[in-house]
Amino acid sequence: MVPMSDVTDELDDSPILEEVLGDALGKLRVFHAKLVEEGEPRGLIGPRDVAIIWERHILNSAAIVPFVRESTAKKQFKTVADIGSGGGFPGIVAAACLPNHQFTLVEPMERRIEWLNECVEDMELENVTVVRARANEMIEAIAGASGVQGGNRGNGNARNGKGGRNGRGAVARGPVLDLDGKPIQARHPFAVVTCRAVAPMTKLSGWTLPLLERGGRLVALKGRSAQEEIEKASKEIAKCGGVRPRVVDAEVGPGLESTHVLMVDKK
């Protein structure tokens, strides 16, 4: 077996990296090195990916950056929630590329939370918060903070703190808890929600669109079936307040195969 430290990535010395990643390249070299050494043993990438991490995972994730930047260009609060962050794709990469945006990485699996926190520390990312939760807990936390009834009802009140009654006789619910039993600090909907390879749009619509503020945007990395997903999920998208669902080809890097970005606006 070849030691991971001896594996050479096809793009290690390519000028494409600096051209696409710019000032974020230094932090992302730290991320790349960590993925080479630990990504496959920790189940974050496949064994065949080790020599193509730059293209398959980092540059692919960075393809959303122009769309996120465009979505927040006129917004005072440039907030992004990355749902199902996993190994950090695209959340860690996008956060490194957009230091003036505030990222919340949402991931339910404890071992991946450990990985994400390590990456944030090793890369010295000061614009990232990691939350161990599912999307529905985030939705309930934001809905509760804004006084909106409902959220994702499928989870009931299982993760909520105990509530009493306020002065008007209505039930005052306690804070929504994450999967470690800590109160979720999210209080406001996000300007952008991102994700990669989490679920088809029939499910993803209900997990992401309720997290967006009015005028916000879902920016999701998808495969070749993205347009078909939109057609199958048209009712779910509309039910969650989504408008103008569309798929665009996104450049990954000069001479590299483009990827597909699915976007939905929140009315």
Side-chain angles (χ1 to χ4, degrees):
M1 181 180 293
V2 178
M4 290 300 155
S5 57
D6 292 342
V7 173
T8 300
D9 193 297
E10 297 174 1
L11 295 178
D12 269 340
D13 300 317
S14 172
I16 290 174
L17 298 181
E18 186 168 2
E19 181 177 342
V20 174
L21 302 173
D23 292 342
L25 179 55
K27 292 183 185 295
L28 290 172
R29 284 198 185 278
V30 174
F31 187 45
H32 180 272
K34 189 172 178 67
L35 282 166
V36 169
E37 290 294 331
E38 304 176 45
E40 195 267 328
R42 293 174 73 166
L44 299 164
I45 60 173
R48 296 181 180 180
D49 290 355
V50 176
I52 52 173
I53 291 171
W54 281 119
E55 179 177 359
R56 178 162 293 184
H57 295 294
I58 297 179
L59 293 178
N60 178 270
S61 294
I64 69 164
V65 168
F67 302 100
V68 174
R69 186 182 288 120
E70 176 193 13
S71 302
T72 62
K74 297 180 181 179
K75 293 183 180 293
Q76 179 181 0
F77 301 107
K78 302 179 188 298
T79 56
V80 183
D82 186 56
I83 301 301
S85 296
F89 318 119
I92 287 285
V93 177
C97 293
L98 296 166
N100 64 332
H101 289 56
Q102 294 298 316
F103 281 77
T104 300
L105 309 187
V106 182
E107 167 60 46
M109 292 183 64
E110 185 174 11
R111 61 184 177 87
R112 290 180 178 172
I113 287 291
E114 292 175 1
W115 165 265
L116 293 169
N117 280 320
E118 289 173 20
C119 292
V120 169
E121 182 176 354
D122 293 350
M123 297 168 68
E124 299 181 349
L125 297 175
E126 298 179 353
N127 60 330
V128 176
T129 300
V130 179
V131 178
R132 185 173 175 233
R134 295 175 293 250
N136 56 358
E137 280 110 18
M138 294 295 293
I139 291 168
E140 288 202 9
I142 290 171
S146 61
V148 177
Q149 296 296 317
N152 189 316
R153 297 180 183 272
N155 198 39
N157 295 329
R159 303 298 308 178
N160 293 328
K162 294 181 179 180
R165 291 184 177 272
N166 62 23
R168 291 170 292 186
V171 176
R173 297 172 62 186
V176 178
L177 308 180
D178 66 15
L179 295 175
D180 291 322
K182 301 174 183 176
I184 293 175
Q185 299 301 318
R187 292 292 179 267
H188 304 284
F190 295 88
V192 175
V193 172
T194 62
C195 58
R196 185 179 90 153
V198 171
M201 281 299 293
T202 48
K203 293 182 178 180
L204 194 63
S205 300
W207 294 347
T208 57
L209 297 179
L211 291 170
L212 289 166
E213 64 187 19
R214 291 186 63 182
R217 181 173 296 168
L218 169 65
V219 180
L221 282 160
K222 284 287 184 179
R224 292 184 176 87
S225 63
Q227 187 59 48
E228 183 181 344
E229 285 191 33
I230 285 177
E231 293 165 4
K232 288 182 178 180
S234 58
K235 291 182 180 179
E236 288 86 353
I237 292 171
K239 182 179 178 181
C240 294
V243 295
R244 294 184 63 229
R246 60 220 184 260
V247 179
V248 298
D249 276 344
E251 184 177 351
V252 171
L256 303 177
E257 184 179 357
S258 63
T259 190
H260 305 281
V261 172
L262 186 157
M263 290 186 285
V264 183
D265 297 335
K266 180 74 172 286
K267 65 180 180 181

